[in-house]
Amino acid sequence: MTLTLKIWRQADAAAEGRLHTYQLDEVSPDMSFLEMLDVLNEQLNAAGEEPVAFDSDCREGICGMCSLMINGEAHGPEVTTTCQLHMRSFADGDTITIEPWRAAPFPVLKDLVVDRSAFDRIIQSGGYISVNTGAAPDAHAIPVPKQNADRAFDMATCIGCGACVAACPNGSASLFVGAKVTHLGELPQGQAERDHRVVNMVAQHDHEGFGGCTNIGECAAACPKEIPLDVISQLNRDLRAAMRHGH
Amino acid sequence: MTDMPDTTTTGNPSHDAPGDVVDDAAGYYREGDPIADTKSPDDQPVERRWSERKFSARMANPAKRRTLSVIVVGTGLAGASAAATLGEAGYQVKTFCYQDSPRRAHSIAAQGGINAAKNYKGDGDSVYRLFYDTVKGGDYRSRESNSYRLAEVSVNIIDQAVAQGVPFAREYGGLLDNRSFGGVQVSRTFYARGQTGQQLLIGAYQALERQVAAGTVETFTRHEMLELVVVDDGSGPRTRGIITRDLVTGAIDTHIADAVVLATGGYGNVYYLSTNAMGSNVTASWRAHRKGAFFGNPCYTQIHPTCIPVSGTHQSKLTLMSESLRNDGRIWVPKDPADVTRDPRDIAEEDRDYYLERIYPSFGNLVPRDIASRQAKNMCDEGRGVGPEVEGVRRGVYLDFADAIARLGRPAIEAKYGNLFDMYTRITAEDPYQTPMRVYPAIHYTMGGLWVDYDLQSNLPGLFVAGEANFSDQGANRLGASALMQGLADGYFVLPNTIRDYLADGPFDTVPDDHPAVVEARASVQERIDHFLTVNGTRSVDSYHRELGNIMWEYCGMERSAEGLRKAIDLIRSLRDDFWRNVKVLGDSESLNQSLEKAGRVADFFELGELMCIDALHRRESCGGHFRAESQTEDGEALRHDDTFAFVSAWEFGGESGARELGTPVLHKEDLVYTAIEMKQRSYK
Ligand SMILES: Cc1cc2nc3c(=O)[nH]c(=O)nc-3n(C[C@H](O)[C@H](O)[C@H](O)COP(=O)(O)OP(=O)(O)OC[C@H]3O[C@@H](n4cnc5c(N)ncnc54)[C@H](O)[C@@H]3O)c2cc1C
Ligand code: SF4
Ligand code: FES
């Protein structure tokens, strides 16, 4: 395959960025999208142009490190992560525009790399169950109904990639916060801190500059782990309950 | 898969007399003094040792703990759990990782599960049985005290994870489900669908972030450790800190503390292609090794037989397919090399070679990982491999579900393996329900690592090593689902209890910026960076890494021979020389520069690769994941030599002379003594 790539290049957080156009030949449909960029980078390096910076680590769709807006879609056209997207999803002769996540709380650091540390700070504000090492009762002390355990698991599969934010016209991280609140809220262990958790996480979310949710649903459509939109309803219900309890 | 129903026979079927064993590595190393673990109370029976050590390890009171500081490099299962626990205890902790969040450490990718001797199934499991399976699985090359302790604390891990909200699979009654993993006879593996590592790491990460909020832990993400600071003010060396590079701004910083923990993962990426993450590296361990920390058993690597094969030279990493697939899939290649390009469905039954079933009639497709891997390589080397030809060889064998689908029906197969089949289809665009999967072995895990004593302390005082980065508990091979267990055992339960003994002597004197040890460490970091950015050569870092990986895979992979290893050492030396003179790294050091990051990692892989080959050359026996062509039984099975090689090889860095020439490494042997278990030779025929 031969492709025309329009890639966002930006020297650092302070610099202005712009799209550069590159031509790439001999792309195999079996390559992953990131392997295609590796090939481009080898070519650039050989030609004396600095390679394009982009994030990736596991390349298995689980670490959440990769990102990229591909032709305006977070993680590209399939329901998966960019690292699991393959070039067979594109056609010979295609022009592909590749940009970083766009959201004020995710500033661009260089080229396609953004700063997602706001997500860590949201978890710090309450995305955990407080239990010190060694203080745990036997794992069988509290049975958890299978359906709750399964739902908790489904919500816990969020990889913290930020696609939901990048896809949202408001730049909201409600899907990310909702997934965590639902994961821990489904479990008996998570009840004691349930009110605190939701109130503090939402406050931190707003403080970081993420936008409010207006139920557009782009987030769930972009989510590579198919976190459903109803976690946001759960988030709102939990928030209202916490308010009622006087938080 | 290393553990199977008990078919071991006692004693060696045949072996050289001790004096006969040839020293293949003569001239490549020097022998130093033996080394011993002095922390395990070996006068006690094995089941008493951990309680005894926890009791004898000194403590600091809560007020004093607040004055003591610990650096934890790595935020995988081992690092995140250690940092969270040390934070809870009140120490001042700093963590470092190269990713943009602690949650992304490579532990996240583990699929299958985590072992624990809970005996929730009442099927006869016990701490002793898990200990026994671990030592046997490690082919009697692990340290008995450590392996026992690992089994002992395994039960606490599950309690801790559940309390944190880790959503393990449950049965309808609400209790935890277990599965049998890797052919063991009991069901002791806890799992969270195919994402056990992810769920355990998120649990540890959340505990870590809770401590960040509490003010006990400070996290440094996108920071890479590039040097260790070892201070010697006359009273012997002490590890006092690290030098890091901020991967975004390029700033080189010094971090000083009372102790340093390395939990930086395995070194499988020395092979370039592996199931590890792109950034997995040996730099932290290697820099410590260069500063005096011994490296234990570097040649012990684990190869996983069922990964998705390489599709072309662009390949950047390999993806594992869970070995549970071998429970129902049948492995074969065409009998006739002329058939390798034919549609497998058109190859008649009698023209197929189900080679594992043929060679190992009683175990068939369920032989251990190393045997399945080696035989796959043999088939491909004979020209009977299938799939695309990459660099002149077809590296793939069929894993066929046609019989299982006919026997159990497609829905049953979907229920068991649906997510794996989907993943396979996504990567290869082939449908394994219609046509056999293609699989090939890949490097997956490294049992070797920095040498540590029972306290997880290296020979350098104040340097502790946890998780896959240390060498201690697994021996020459590792059981499936035991690496997650080890990472969390080390981090939650072992290290916090042992490091306090060392810290009881602290806090140590401040180390000023102009201390010679700091100045030297920073200068060495700067010198490498400056070198890479000014060589202006012609070849990319990746091209060197790929070539190094090919050498390692060919000569220090599934089967190793003296001749091949010597050749590899020569090849590595000349490639390394070329690398330093001819690598091309563009950009600058004051901003995010991924080629520069890779250059430093590859430079260290070159040195590690050489040591791995020397270690493999020296160990003229086959054990666990290490198969020496010269040490096999008449019918081609691995042959251990307990009389000559029942020791840990702890390597001391041999120094460096001008022009980046490496000195001769020094071998220190730690004898392995088993008191609670008898050494046996395995057999799978
Ligand atoms: C695909 C796959 C599947 C697996 N499945 C299983 C399984 O089912 N069961 C099982 O028990 N085991 C499994 N394993 C093995 C297991 O996942 C690992 O051995 C284990 O998770 C390692 O954990 P760790 O904490 O030691 O290191 P890692 O999780 O690798 O963490 C390393 C940390 O060190 C940091 N780091 C590294 N170098 C530096 C540096 N120079 N400076 C700063 N930071 C650095 C990284 O950022 C990271 O935070 C699997 C492994 C793979 C690859
Ligand atoms: S909710 Fe989905 S899109 Fe958002 S961070 Fe989690 S996995 Fe990514
Ligand atoms: S690189 Fe890990 S999810 Fe894509």
Side-chain angles (χ1 to χ4, degrees):
Chain A
M1 293 159 73
T2 298
L3 299 171
T4 304
L5 303 171
K6 296 192 161 175
I7 302 182
W8 185 263
R9 309 273 343 227
Q10 179 174 336
D12 56 48
E16 293 260 325
R18 65 181 187 85
L19 288 170
H20 284 231
T21 304
Y22 302 102
Q23 228 34 65
L24 193 60
D25 307 326
E26 292 180 40
V27 173
S28 145
D30 287 330
M31 285 178 184
S32 72
F33 197 84
L34 297 181
E35 286 169 346
M36 182 275 291
L37 289 181
D38 291 341
V39 173
L40 172 72
N41 276 344
E42 283 288 292
Q43 202 171 292
L44 293 179
N45 197 69
E49 185 175 346
E50 213 186 314
V52 179
F54 63 89
D55 269 330
S56 79
D57 203 28
C58 74
R59 296 205 177 182
E60 287 191 16
I62 193 78
C63 74
M65 187 89 176
C66 63
S67 54
L68 307 186
M69 292 303 273
I70 300 168
N71 290 334
E73 291 181 282
H75 290 304
E78 318 273 348
V79 182
T80 189
T81 55
T82 294
C83 61
Q84 289 289 290
L85 180 66
H86 284 73
M87 296 316 293
R88 63 183 82 92
S89 298
F90 299 87
D92 189 25
D94 274 1
T95 296
I96 308 177
T97 305
I98 308 171
E99 293 172 273
W101 283 171
R102 299 280 186 203
F106 289 167
V108 174
L109 298 173
K110 181 168 183 167
D111 296 341
L112 303 171
V113 176
V114 301
D115 179 354
R116 286 171 290 196
S117 55
F119 272 12
D120 289 334
R121 291 189 293 274
I122 291 178
I123 297 297
Q124 280 157 30
S125 71
Y128 48 75
I129 289 171
S130 297
V131 53
N132 282 3
T133 302
D138 185 86
H140 267 180
I142 324 162
V144 182
K146 184 166 162 48
Q147 79 223 40
N148 299 84
D150 286 351
R151 181 146 193 266
F153 173 85
D154 286 339
M155 304 315 139
T157 59
C158 163
I159 57 175
C161 63
C164 44
V165 176
C168 175
N170 304 331
S172 172
S174 294
L175 197 70
F176 170 77
V177 178
K180 186 50 57 193
V181 161
T182 309
H183 159 210
L184 299 177
E186 279 291 332
L187 299 169
Q189 303 90 301
Q191 299 312 311
E193 295 165 291
R194 190 163 176 171
D195 288 349
H196 269 287
R197 176 180 309 121
V198 67
V199 169
N200 292 339
M201 288 181 78
V202 168
Q204 188 66 33
H205 168 275
D206 296 350
H207 175 77
E208 295 288 348
F210 292 104
C213 172
T214 52
N215 271 317
I216 301 169
E218 290 288 340
C219 54
C223 175
K225 297 293 141 181
E226 301 178 75
I227 302 291
L229 204 54
D230 68 13
V231 298
I232 301 182
S233 327
Q234 183 75 55
L235 176 70
N236 291 330
R237 272 201 303 280
D238 277 21
L239 194 58
R240 281 195 302 273
M243 304 282 192
R244 270 202 311 280
H245 302 154
H247 283 276
Chain B
M1 237 349 118
T2 22
D3 194 275
M4 306 297 284
D6 230 335
T7 54
T8 48
T9 51
T10 311
N12 286 344
S14 84
H15 53 78
D16 309 326
D20 296 348
V21 174
V22 193
D23 188 357
D24 286 328
Y28 289 92
Y29 77 107
R30 281 186 294 126
E31 187 155 345
D33 295 335
I35 184 172
D37 165 39
T38 55
K39 305 289 175 45
S40 165
D42 284 340
D43 51 327
Q44 301 283 331
V46 72
E47 62 278 3
R48 293 273 323 275
R49 290 178 195 161
W50 180 227
S51 322
E52 189 65 28
R53 181 60 192 141
K54 275 192 288 188
F55 182 73
S56 67
R58 292 167 299 159
M59 293 177 117
N61 67 38
K64 182 170 173 189
R65 274 181 241 153
R66 284 193 288 276
T67 68
L68 294 165
S69 54
V70 182
I71 284 170
V72 180
V73 189
T75 60
L77 288 179
S81 59
T85 306
L86 292 169
E88 290 160 9
Y91 300 101
Q92 302 167 31
V93 181
K94 284 183 179 178
T95 68
F96 297 83
C97 66
Y98 67 77
Q99 296 92 342
D100 72 335
S101 165
R103 66 180 291 156
R104 307 205 200 283
H106 191 54
S107 294
I108 201 102
Q111 303 170 353
I114 177 167
N115 290 329
K118 279 285 197 188
N119 194 27
Y120 279 164
K121 294 283 160 200
D123 55 2
D125 199 13
S126 62
V127 168
Y128 186 83
R129 186 178 292 280
L130 176 53
F131 157 68
Y132 176 87
D133 288 349
T134 303
V135 173
K136 182 182 159 212
D139 224 356
Y140 304 90
R141 290 293 176 265
S142 63
R143 190 189 287 145
E144 180 184 67
S145 307
N146 289 55
S147 301
Y148 191 90
R149 175 178 64 193
L150 177 63
E152 186 179 339
V153 303
S154 68
V155 296
N156 305 114
I157 296 171
I158 304 303
D159 300 340
Q160 187 63 31
V162 165
Q164 290 168 343
V166 171
F168 284 122
R170 288 184 183 261
E171 296 168 338
Y172 284 99
L175 298 180
L176 293 162
D177 192 19
N178 291 131
R179 59 181 169 203
S180 151
F181 198 73
V184 291
Q185 293 144 299
V186 292
S187 290
R188 63 159 76 100
T189 305
F190 294 77
Y191 66 101
R193 231 166 280 169
Q195 282 123 284
T196 317
Q198 179 195 31
Q199 294 308 317
L200 289 168
L201 184 60
I202 288 175
Y205 157 75
Q206 289 173 183
L208 177 72
E209 295 296 351
R210 172 174 166 246
Q211 289 310 305
V212 173
T216 59
V217 176
E218 194 180 352
T219 53
F220 294 82
T221 58
R222 293 198 196 268
H223 275 68
E224 183 164 21
M225 165 185 162
L226 296 177
E227 260 311 340
L228 190 72
V229 177
V230 182
V231 170
D232 191 345
D233 289 330
S235 55
R238 270 192 201 284
T239 306
R240 292 303 310 277
I242 60 172
I243 310 294
T244 60
R245 179 166 180 271
D246 179 330
L247 300 181
V248 177
T249 66
I252 307 293
D253 295 311
T254 309
H255 298 270
I256 299 294
D258 294 309
V260 174
V261 179
L262 298 187
T264 44
Y267 50 85
N269 273 355
V270 65
Y271 293 87
Y272 185 68
L273 290 181
S274 82
T275 62
N276 285 3
M278 301 302 288
S280 297
N281 67 88
V282 77
T283 289
S285 296
W286 196 257
R287 295 282 113 196
H289 176 59
R290 281 178 144 261
K291 279 272 183 326
F294 295 171
F295 210 106
N297 302 328
C299 79
Y300 290 166
T301 53
Q302 186 175 76
I303 292 178
H304 196 290
T306 56
C307 299
I308 300 179
V310 174
S311 71
T313 45
H314 58 262
Q315 191 94 18
S316 61
K317 79 153 279 167
L318 296 170
T319 303
L320 180 110
M321 300 296 287
S322 167
E323 65 187 326
S324 60
L325 291 169
R326 285 198 281 147
N327 290 331
D328 286 304
R330 294 180 70 195
I331 294 178
W332 63 276
V333 290
K335 282 186 180 158
D336 183 353
D339 281 348
V340 295
T341 50
R342 279 178 65 192
D343 184 330
R345 289 166 295 185
D346 298 340
I347 301 178
E349 204 53 35
E350 63 271 19
D351 296 329
R352 302 175 174 193
D353 180 9
Y354 294 91
Y355 57 89
L356 291 177
E357 298 170 26
R358 170 171 59 82
I359 308 173
Y360 308 97
S362 51
F363 285 85
N365 296 297
L366 291 175
V367 289
R369 287 180 177 174
D370 55 321
I371 295 181
S373 298
R374 210 160 51 241
Q375 293 297 1
K377 179 175 192 292
N378 290 343
M379 298 305 134
C380 298
D381 290 350
E382 282 173 19
R384 298 196 287 147
V386 298
E389 191 174 288
V390 180
E391 285 157 357
V393 195
R394 293 177 202 282
R395 293 196 174 85
V397 300
Y398 291 124
L399 176 59
D400 198 336
F401 289 87
D403 285 358
I405 293 173
R407 191 176 70 245
L408 305 166
R410 178 170 167 153
I413 296 298
E414 257 179 35
K416 267 185 167 165
Y417 308 117
N419 61 339
L420 294 169
F421 278 40
D422 291 349
M423 180 160 92
Y424 183 83
T425 303
R426 185 180 297 290
I427 292 175
T428 62
E430 290 172 14
D431 177 3
Y433 294 105
Q434 301 298 332
T435 183
M437 275 185 186
R438 289 174 292 107
V439 294
Y440 197 67
I443 291 288
H444 175 54
Y445 181 85
T446 52
M447 283 75 66
L450 289 179
W451 184 89
V452 289
D453 63 16
Y454 191 61
D455 279 2
L456 303 185
Q457 183 167 212
S458 83
N459 59 303
L460 279 181
L463 178 68
F464 292 77
V465 192
E468 193 174 335
N470 71 27
F471 88 102
S472 63
D473 301 8
Q474 314 283 5
N477 213 345
R478 166 178 78 75
L479 294 181
S482 279
L484 301 181
M485 172 172 77
Q486 188 216 332
L488 291 178
D490 286 0
Y492 283 132
F493 300 106
V494 178
L495 191 101
N497 275 307
T498 56
I499 202 171
R500 58 182 156 86
D501 185 67
Y502 178 80
L503 290 171
D505 290 328
F508 304 111
D509 294 342
T510 50
V511 180
D513 277 351
D514 61 355
H515 191 287
V518 174
V519 173
E520 181 277 328
R522 292 183 66 112
S524 118
V525 168
Q526 198 60 53
E527 188 272 331
R528 286 220 310 181
I529 292 175
D530 294 344
H531 177 87
F532 291 135
L533 290 172
T534 52
V535 201
N536 252 322
T538 58
R539 277 184 69 178
S540 71
V541 178
D542 278 354
S543 76
Y544 282 105
H545 193 180
R546 182 177 290 123
E547 192 173 336
L548 171 66
N550 284 342
I551 298 171
M552 294 301 294
W553 180 244
E554 192 55 35
Y555 301 109
C556 197
M558 280 179 271
E559 181 171 327
R560 296 132 183 212
S561 70
E563 194 196 342
L565 288 163
R566 289 197 193 101
K567 183 166 173 197
I569 294 169
D570 287 345
L571 290 170
I572 293 170
R573 286 178 178 167
S574 61
L575 187 64
R576 179 168 160 269
D577 188 56
D578 188 66
F579 169 79
W580 282 102
R581 287 186 290 106
N582 196 27
V583 70
K584 179 172 187 172
V585 180
L586 300 171
D588 59 45
S589 65
E590 278 85 49
S591 68
L592 204 155
N593 186 339
Q594 293 170 329
S595 309
L596 180 63
E597 293 165 27
K598 288 192 265 190
R601 293 172 193 158
V602 172
D604 293 331
F605 278 138
F606 270 113
E607 297 183 9
L608 166 76
E610 182 173 329
L611 185 67
M612 286 170 71
C613 292
I614 294 174
D615 186 41
L617 187 57
H618 174 262
R619 189 168 284 276
R620 192 188 164 94
E621 69 162 346
S622 299
C623 61
H626 170 66
F627 186 86
R628 274 291 299 266
E630 295 86 350
S631 184
Q632 45 185 315
T633 60
E634 269 167 21
D635 39 9
E637 297 307 322
L639 184 60
R640 252 181 23 230
H641 292 299
D642 292 338
D643 42 9
T644 1
F645 287 108
F647 58 78
V648 173
S649 298
W651 293 93
E652 179 183 349
F653 186 63
E656 190 181 25
S657 51
R660 302 186 199 275
E661 288 273 319
L662 292 185
T664 308
V666 183
L667 173 64
H668 301 271
K669 295 177 182 171
E670 177 194 338
D671 281 333
L672 292 169
V673 181
Y674 293 96
T675 60
I677 211 163
E678 187 192 355
M679 288 175 140
K680 291 174 177 173
Q681 192 82 221
R682 40 172 221 171
S683 159
Y684 292 94
K685 284 274 166 164

mmCIF file of all heavy atoms in Angstrom, chain A residues 34 55-67 75 81-84 159, ligand 3:
data_model
loop_
_atom_site.group_PDB
_atom_site.id
_atom_site.type_symbol
_atom_site.label_atom_id
_atom_site.label_comp_id
_atom_site.label_asym_id
_atom_site.label_seq_id
_atom_site.Cartn_x
_atom_site.Cartn_y
_atom_site.Cartn_z
ATOM 1 N N LEU A 34 0.854 1.302 14.463
ATOM 2 C CA LEU A 34 2.082 1.841 15.062
ATOM 3 C C LEU A 34 3.324 1.293 14.369
ATOM 4 O O LEU A 34 4.341 1.982 14.283
ATOM 5 C CB LEU A 34 2.111 1.549 16.563
ATOM 6 C CG LEU A 34 0.975 2.213 17.353
ATOM 7 C CD1 LEU A 34 1.093 1.896 18.838
ATOM 8 C CD2 LEU A 34 0.942 3.732 17.139
ATOM 9 N N ASP A 55 3.265 7.850 21.703
ATOM 10 C CA ASP A 55 3.305 6.960 22.866
ATOM 11 C C ASP A 55 2.840 5.554 22.511
ATOM 12 O O ASP A 55 1.851 5.387 21.780
ATOM 13 C CB ASP A 55 2.353 7.480 23.953
ATOM 14 C CG ASP A 55 3.044 8.420 24.919
ATOM 15 O OD1 ASP A 55 4.260 8.259 25.144
ATOM 16 O OD2 ASP A 55 2.358 9.322 25.453
ATOM 17 N N SER A 56 3.505 4.551 23.063
ATOM 18 C CA SER A 56 2.990 3.185 23.025
ATOM 19 C C SER A 56 3.844 2.389 23.987
ATOM 20 O O SER A 56 4.976 2.770 24.286
ATOM 21 C CB SER A 56 3.101 2.562 21.630
ATOM 22 O OG SER A 56 4.407 2.108 21.364
ATOM 23 N N ASP A 57 3.340 1.295 24.491
ATOM 24 C CA ASP A 57 4.200 0.424 25.290
ATOM 25 C C ASP A 57 3.841 -1.046 25.078
ATOM 26 O O ASP A 57 4.579 -1.763 24.435
ATOM 27 C CB ASP A 57 4.182 0.814 26.764
ATOM 28 C CG ASP A 57 5.442 0.329 27.498
ATOM 29 O OD1 ASP A 57 6.494 0.202 26.847
ATOM 30 O OD2 ASP A 57 5.387 0.077 28.709
ATOM 31 N N CYS A 58 2.684 -1.488 25.577
ATOM 32 C CA CYS A 58 2.395 -2.928 25.494
ATOM 33 C C CYS A 58 2.146 -3.396 24.065
ATOM 34 O O CYS A 58 2.440 -4.519 23.714
ATOM 35 C CB CYS A 58 1.186 -3.285 26.360
ATOM 36 S SG CYS A 58 -0.392 -2.745 25.669
ATOM 37 N N ARG A 59 1.557 -2.537 23.258
ATOM 38 C CA ARG A 59 1.124 -2.880 21.891
ATOM 39 C C ARG A 59 0.226 -4.118 21.874
ATOM 40 O O ARG A 59 0.252 -4.908 20.938
ATOM 41 C CB ARG A 59 2.311 -3.022 20.944
ATOM 42 C CG ARG A 59 3.054 -1.701 20.789
ATOM 43 C CD ARG A 59 3.812 -1.581 19.492
ATOM 44 N NE ARG A 59 4.434 -0.262 19.389
ATOM 45 C CZ ARG A 59 5.137 0.151 18.347
ATOM 46 N NH1 ARG A 59 5.315 -0.651 17.322
ATOM 47 N NH2 ARG A 59 5.654 1.359 18.323
ATOM 48 N N GLU A 60 -0.514 -4.293 22.938
ATOM 49 C CA GLU A 60 -1.478 -5.402 23.019
ATOM 50 C C GLU A 60 -2.858 -4.908 23.397
ATOM 51 O O GLU A 60 -3.724 -5.697 23.726
ATOM 52 C CB GLU A 60 -1.047 -6.403 24.109
ATOM 53 C CG GLU A 60 0.127 -7.224 23.742
ATOM 54 C CD GLU A 60 0.353 -8.378 24.706
ATOM 55 O OE1 GLU A 60 -0.553 -8.724 25.480
ATOM 56 O OE2 GLU A 60 1.462 -8.926 24.664
ATOM 57 N N GLY A 61 -3.029 -3.589 23.465
ATOM 58 C CA GLY A 61 -4.353 -3.064 23.775
ATOM 59 C C GLY A 61 -4.708 -3.080 25.244
ATOM 60 O O GLY A 61 -5.887 -3.053 25.594
ATOM 61 N N ILE A 62 -3.719 -3.098 26.138
ATOM 62 C CA ILE A 62 -4.074 -3.243 27.551
ATOM 63 C C ILE A 62 -3.464 -2.175 28.452
ATOM 64 O O ILE A 62 -4.009 -1.890 29.516
ATOM 65 C CB ILE A 62 -3.715 -4.686 28.033
ATOM 66 C CG1 ILE A 62 -4.337 -5.007 29.385
ATOM 67 C CG2 ILE A 62 -2.217 -4.899 28.103
ATOM 68 C CD1 ILE A 62 -5.778 -5.353 29.345
ATOM 69 N N CYS A 63 -2.361 -1.556 28.045
ATOM 70 C CA CYS A 63 -1.705 -0.623 28.976
ATOM 71 C C CYS A 63 -2.296 0.782 28.912
ATOM 72 O O CYS A 63 -2.145 1.564 29.843
ATOM 73 C CB CYS A 63 -0.199 -0.570 28.730
ATOM 74 S SG CYS A 63 0.286 0.326 27.246
ATOM 75 N N GLY A 64 -2.936 1.115 27.791
ATOM 76 C CA GLY A 64 -3.552 2.431 27.663
ATOM 77 C C GLY A 64 -2.586 3.535 27.296
ATOM 78 O O GLY A 64 -2.921 4.714 27.350
ATOM 79 N N MET A 65 -1.385 3.173 26.909
ATOM 80 C CA MET A 65 -0.368 4.189 26.619
ATOM 81 C C MET A 65 -0.575 4.814 25.236
ATOM 82 O O MET A 65 -0.315 5.989 25.035
ATOM 83 C CB MET A 65 1.014 3.535 26.690
ATOM 84 C CG MET A 65 2.180 4.495 26.570
ATOM 85 S SD MET A 65 2.684 5.131 28.177
ATOM 86 C CE MET A 65 4.113 6.117 27.702
ATOM 87 N N CYS A 66 -1.036 4.041 24.258
ATOM 88 C CA CYS A 66 -1.148 4.607 22.907
ATOM 89 C C CYS A 66 -2.384 5.496 22.819
ATOM 90 O O CYS A 66 -3.308 5.382 23.606
ATOM 91 C CB CYS A 66 -1.193 3.492 21.860
ATOM 92 S SG CYS A 66 -2.611 2.399 21.991
ATOM 93 N N SER A 67 -2.382 6.367 21.832
ATOM 94 C CA SER A 67 -3.502 7.292 21.688
ATOM 95 C C SER A 67 -3.748 7.540 20.199
ATOM 96 O O SER A 67 -3.897 6.587 19.462
ATOM 97 C CB SER A 67 -3.207 8.584 22.463
ATOM 98 O OG SER A 67 -1.968 9.134 22.066
ATOM 99 N N HIS A 75 -8.426 6.648 18.376
ATOM 100 C CA HIS A 75 -7.991 5.269 18.115
ATOM 101 C C HIS A 75 -8.420 4.769 16.726
ATOM 102 O O HIS A 75 -8.384 3.560 16.469
ATOM 103 C CB HIS A 75 -8.531 4.269 19.155
ATOM 104 C CG HIS A 75 -7.938 4.377 20.539
ATOM 105 N ND1 HIS A 75 -6.589 4.292 20.796
ATOM 106 C CD2 HIS A 75 -8.526 4.528 21.761
ATOM 107 C CE1 HIS A 75 -6.379 4.379 22.113
ATOM 108 N NE2 HIS A 75 -7.531 4.543 22.719
ATOM 109 N N THR A 81 -7.802 -0.283 20.388
ATOM 110 C CA THR A 81 -6.765 0.730 20.598
ATOM 111 C C THR A 81 -5.952 0.914 19.316
ATOM 112 O O THR A 81 -5.909 0.024 18.463
ATOM 113 C CB THR A 81 -5.803 0.271 21.699
ATOM 114 O OG1 THR A 81 -5.309 -1.011 21.342
ATOM 115 C CG2 THR A 81 -6.496 0.208 23.043
ATOM 116 N N THR A 82 -5.269 2.029 19.223
ATOM 117 C CA THR A 82 -4.447 2.303 18.043
ATOM 118 C C THR A 82 -3.414 1.210 17.817
ATOM 119 O O THR A 82 -3.132 0.833 16.688
ATOM 120 C CB THR A 82 -3.751 3.661 18.225
ATOM 121 O OG1 THR A 82 -4.772 4.658 18.239
ATOM 122 C CG2 THR A 82 -2.790 3.955 17.097
ATOM 123 N N CYS A 83 -2.871 0.658 18.895
ATOM 124 C CA CYS A 83 -1.834 -0.366 18.723
ATOM 125 C C CYS A 83 -2.390 -1.660 18.163
ATOM 126 O O CYS A 83 -1.646 -2.471 17.625
ATOM 127 C CB CYS A 83 -1.109 -0.629 20.043
ATOM 128 S SG CYS A 83 -2.162 -1.241 21.371
ATOM 129 N N GLN A 84 -3.697 -1.878 18.296
ATOM 130 C CA GLN A 84 -4.315 -3.096 17.771
ATOM 131 C C GLN A 84 -5.031 -2.850 16.443
ATOM 132 O O GLN A 84 -5.663 -3.739 15.885
ATOM 133 C CB GLN A 84 -5.295 -3.664 18.797
ATOM 134 C CG GLN A 84 -4.604 -4.264 19.998
ATOM 135 C CD GLN A 84 -3.904 -5.568 19.655
ATOM 136 O OE1 GLN A 84 -4.513 -6.587 19.398
ATOM 137 N NE2 GLN A 84 -2.574 -5.529 19.632
ATOM 138 N N ILE A 159 -8.809 1.236 30.523
ATOM 139 C CA ILE A 159 -7.346 1.274 30.463
ATOM 140 C C ILE A 159 -6.790 2.681 30.671
ATOM 141 O O ILE A 159 -5.588 2.904 30.515
ATOM 142 C CB ILE A 159 -6.812 0.673 29.139
ATOM 143 C CG1 ILE A 159 -7.410 1.396 27.934
ATOM 144 C CG2 ILE A 159 -7.090 -0.835 29.083
ATOM 145 C CD1 ILE A 159 -6.829 0.941 26.586
HETATM 146 S S1 FES C 3 0.271 0.413 23.513
HETATM 147 FE FE1 FES C 3 -0.671 -0.445 25.265
HETATM 148 S S2 FES C 3 -2.771 -0.149 24.799
HETATM 149 FE FE2 FES C 3 -1.826 0.468 22.970
#
